[in-house]
Structures are given as C-alpha cells and as structure tokens.
Amino acid sequence: MSRLVYVLNGPNLNLLGKRQPHIYGHETLADVEANCRRVASELRLEIRCHQSNREYGIIDCIHEAREIAAGIVINPAAFTHTSVAILDALNTFEPPVIEVHISNVHKREEFRHHSYVSLRADGVIAGLGTQGYQLALRRLAHLLDRAAAK
Ligand code: DHK
C-alpha cells in the first residue's frame, strides 16, 4: 500500500519567513518542508512537497496525486476562501485530505472564516503555526496504519 503523501502549499507561502512574520512566523518554506521530511521519515511516509502561486498549479498536483498518493496535506492559502476549482479537484481524490492553516483563520478577517476546502477535508488544523503540517502528517500516518491493520 502506498505511503506517499503530497504536501501542497498555495499562493504567497513561498514568502514564508519574510511575509508578515507576526502572523506566519519566521520559518521559511524550506524549513517547513525539511521538518516535514524529518517527521515523514520517522512515520515511514514518503512525501512530495509542492508550492504554487497559481490555482492550476495546485489543481495539477492534486490530479497527479490522484494516481499515486495515499493522502494530501494542503494549505491552499488564499485559495481556501475562493476556489471551487480546488474543492472540485480534491473531490476527485479519495484518500484522506488534511487542511492546514498556519494562522487561526477564525480569529482574523471574516472573509477568512469560510473555507471551500473544508467541505472536502477530513480534518482541519488552524492556528498551530507551522507545526500544523507535522501534526497533519502524524494524523495521515495514523489513518494509513489503521487502514493497513484492517
Ligand atoms: C495563509 C494565507 O496565505 C491566507 O490567505 C489564509 C493561511 C490563511 C494560513 O494561515 O496559513 O487566509
């Protein structure tokens, strides 16, 4: 059984560490991905990380994941609140999906309170900083272990 997980990041997250650090913290995307790789190897997961500032970049990755992946961790960033297309793409993907937000979107502007992606996500993590990605991977590993034990 595949233990490949896609870790997808949406627009502006390439600027992590430089962008509004009081909201998104000081770690760069490279730091976040390195931490994900470390946790993934501990959990015996294989991961592929991808960031795109373009909606179609995220959608193409979801389509690629459809063929081969056992789970997706996704921070769609601003597309969370706007993208029916990303929701539709995730609805073509059967294995578990965990939605991650670095900040607590519910404590922020009202337009950030609604997520199209949450209509599909099996779990949502918000406001736990960049640690949210690692916790999402732990949850996916747990779900995969549980499925394999059945
Ligand atoms: C990241 C963004 O870029 C925002 O557009 C979202 C999300 C929140 C985050 O907290 O990771 O509203």
Side-chain angles (χ1 to χ4, degrees):
M1 194 184 178
S2 160
R3 288 180 71 86
L4 173 63
V5 172
Y6 274 55
V7 178
L8 303 180
N9 278 293
N12 301 304
L13 291 170
N14 54 313
L15 295 179
L16 264 187
K18 297 181 196 144
R19 168 196 186 210
Q20 297 176 286
H22 57 291
I23 296 176
Y24 298 107
H26 291 277
E27 275 184 7
T28 65
L29 184 61
D31 294 333
V32 170
E33 292 180 348
N35 283 329
C36 283
R37 286 183 207 292
R38 187 177 44 74
V39 171
S41 87
E42 178 201 318
L43 297 168
R44 293 176 297 104
L45 295 176
E46 189 192 334
I47 60 168
R48 285 192 193 163
C49 299
H50 189 78
Q51 186 274 333
S52 181
N53 292 322
R54 299 172 179 86
E55 199 172 19
Y56 77 79
I58 304 288
I59 292 165
D60 284 352
C61 274
I62 296 168
H63 291 177
E64 189 183 293
R66 263 186 98 226
E67 307 297 327
I68 48 180
I72 291 178
V73 172
I74 183 166
N75 182 347
F79 292 148
T80 306
H81 320 296
T82 61
S83 183
V84 175
I86 290 177
L87 169 63
D88 284 352
L90 288 170
N91 275 331
T92 75
F93 182 83
E94 278 191 19
V97 173
I98 311 289
E99 177 183 351
V100 172
H101 303 288
I102 296 166
S103 65
N104 180 358
V105 282
H106 300 289
K107 207 175 159 184
R108 301 181 63 193
E109 303 95 322
E110 202 166 334
F111 67 84
R112 295 185 204 274
H113 297 180
H114 178 261
S115 165
Y116 284 102
V117 170
S118 292
L119 293 168
R120 163 63 185 87
D122 298 288
V124 183
I125 296 173
L128 302 188
T130 53
Q131 205 188 357
Y133 293 90
Q134 297 169 40
L135 296 168
L137 288 172
R138 287 192 189 281
R139 175 65 183 169
L140 282 180
H142 171 79
L143 293 174
L144 292 176
D145 291 344
R146 202 169 68 181
K150 273 190 187 156

